[in-house]
Amino acid sequence: MKNVALTTIVFLLIFAFRLNAQIIPVFENTAIKSVELAPSIDEKGFFWKIKLISKTQEKFLIKITKIRNNDKYEIYKSTDDINKGINYLNSNPLDSTIFDWIFESTDAHIFFTVELLSKSSSKSFLLNFPVSITQKEILDLRQSALLFHNKVETISQNNFYYNFDGRRWSIVNFQNNNNQKFYEFYPHPAIPEYSAELFQIFRYLYIDNEKFNSALKDKKNFFQNLIEDPKSNCKSFKSKILKEDKENLYFEYTVESCNGGKPASYFGRYFVGRTSAVLYVFIYFETEIPEVNKEIYRISLEKQSSNY
């Protein structure tokens, strides 16, 4: 009975984790060309500077919400119209606890939803996107917090993470072997070994061996080598190259099982850069990736930097 109860608890945990908030990133739409958000601290308090470029003559109000897992914090709501062209805005001073990330040891990746509400109709337009803030910028913010508000806290030692979709993807594995680096992330609040999703990054630095470098730069050959083992040893293997350009190859492949393991679907991008090649892969442990996840993966892969 204890084993049955434990199995039930694990299943419920996994199920709950899969229900955790997922938001498809949207960086531009028919009404908004772009939104830029920059944190700032001065004698008046903690706030966000906002630059919004509107593409429409229609009058709008705007609401901006910060999202972290299932927590939401409204940081801005306009009382005046947003006009076509460039709009410069400032949030009201916010509770300093919303800026708790300035006392973390890693770069910050904060996810926002921006909603434009039409004044003349029921139309609304959404943007969803992450904002990344480097440690250098964070150090400047800490100094401002101390200077203007005498606020200082112990630095929380956090592992490196991302925020692709409103969920915090924390690093669970990192290896650095000569010219190869490997990173692996899982979405909060899953338990890594039970997570339904993983994100992996493999970086291969070029070396003083042109034959080795040429093999890395041959995208299709690299992909064939990548899938050779699962194609030969896994049950019900399927693969597809989604698109290719000068620097990138996007792909997916699926296995029903491999060496008795779980089914898995892989959605990835292989990037060939000037000094290295980088493989990015999202793994979903089912034979089919839900459409919402696939769209999140697609946009996240296209936006990924090769600077690892």
Side-chain angles (χ1 to χ4, degrees):
M1 287 296 292
K2 287 183 179 180
N3 289 336
V4 173
L6 180 59
T7 302
T8 302
I9 291 169
V10 169
F11 173 79
L12 290 173
L13 283 170
I14 296 170
F15 183 71
F17 297 153
R18 291 187 183 183
L19 292 178
N20 193 45
Q22 299 175 53
I23 302 173
I24 296 175
V26 179
F27 290 84
E28 181 177 358
N29 57 34
T30 56
I32 314 172
K33 182 176 181 180
S34 67
V35 179
E36 298 175 14
L37 290 153
S40 186
I41 302 173
D42 63 16
E43 67 279 0
K44 295 178 183 178
F46 296 68
F47 62 98
W48 287 89
K49 293 182 176 181
I50 304 157
K51 178 183 177 182
L52 182 146
I53 304 178
S54 172
K55 299 189 289 187
T56 177
Q57 295 284 3
E58 190 170 356
K59 300 298 183 183
F60 285 92
L61 298 176
I62 181 175
K63 182 171 75 171
I64 302 178
T65 305
K66 173 191 169 189
I67 297 176
R68 183 167 175 176
N69 300 317
N70 287 322
D71 297 324
K72 297 182 180 181
Y73 307 91
E74 185 178 291
I75 68 162
Y76 182 82
K77 190 170 184 178
S78 65
T79 54
D80 298 322
D81 294 338
I82 300 300
N83 298 309
K84 184 176 181 180
I86 300 175
N87 296 263
Y88 291 101
L89 312 163
N90 287 332
S91 73
N92 290 324
L94 300 166
D95 191 305
S96 63
T97 59
I98 298 177
F99 283 68
D100 58 353
W101 45 268
I102 72 172
F103 296 107
E104 294 181 348
S105 60
T106 62
D107 292 355
H109 300 274
I110 305 168
F111 200 86
F112 292 93
T113 289
V114 179
E115 184 177 9
L116 260 64
L117 308 167
S118 172
K119 296 184 71 176
S120 59
S121 70
S122 59
K123 288 192 299 184
S124 65
F125 299 87
L126 284 175
L127 294 184
N128 306 310
F129 57 89
V131 172
S132 296
I133 303 161
T134 67
Q135 270 292 296
K136 182 180 183 304
E137 294 169 310
I138 288 172
L139 287 172
D140 290 341
L141 290 167
R142 283 184 203 155
Q143 291 176 353
S144 295
L146 178 62
L147 175 64
F148 293 114
H149 302 282
N150 198 31
K151 185 173 179 61
V152 61
E153 292 185 14
T154 302
I155 305 305
S156 173
Q157 298 301 313
N158 287 54
N159 290 329
F160 183 54
Y161 72 94
Y162 277 112
N163 194 333
F164 303 117
D165 55 1
R167 299 180 295 173
R168 187 172 178 134
W169 291 67
S170 297
I171 194 165
V172 69
N173 197 358
F174 171 71
Q175 297 174 22
N176 186 358
N177 300 316
N178 298 321
N179 69 309
Q180 298 182 21
K181 290 184 179 180
F182 168 68
Y183 306 78
E184 186 171 55
F185 302 83
Y186 71 101
H188 180 89
I191 301 169
E193 55 265 38
Y194 297 120
S195 178
E197 302 166 83
L198 291 174
F199 176 56
Q200 297 177 336
I201 302 169
F202 303 80
R203 185 183 184 194
Y204 308 95
L205 288 166
Y206 301 143
I207 61 175
D208 189 19
N209 183 322
E210 193 52 44
K211 185 176 180 180
F212 175 86
N213 297 343
S214 295
L216 285 175
K217 293 175 183 179
D218 187 333
K219 298 188 295 295
K220 286 187 176 177
N221 183 63
F222 180 91
F223 178 64
Q224 291 305 315
N225 289 333
L226 177 69
I227 65 174
E228 182 178 351
D229 184 67
K231 186 176 182 179
S232 302
N233 299 308
C234 300
K235 185 178 178 182
S236 298
F237 174 85
K238 296 178 183 178
S239 70
K240 182 191 298 183
I241 291 177
L242 301 172
K243 64 177 181 178
E244 182 180 9
D245 57 35
K246 184 178 179 181
E247 295 180 328
N248 300 282
L249 185 145
Y250 294 84
F251 63 87
E252 61 181 338
Y253 66 93
T254 300
V255 297
E256 186 176 310
S257 66
C258 198
N259 299 319
K262 295 185 288 188
S265 298
Y266 299 77
F267 197 93
R269 169 192 173 197
Y270 184 59
F271 168 80
V272 174
R274 187 174 58 85
T275 60
S276 65
V278 187
L279 172 66
Y280 313 89
V281 183
F282 282 100
I283 307 172
Y284 190 87
F285 290 105
E286 296 288 350
T287 53
E288 188 171 338
I289 303 173
E291 286 304 314
V292 63
N293 295 71
K294 185 173 285 191
E295 187 66 2
I296 288 168
Y297 299 166
R298 181 188 67 78
I299 297 169
S300 300
L301 288 174
E302 290 176 353
K303 295 293 181 180
Q304 275 302 298
S305 165
S306 60
N307 186 26
Y308 291 95

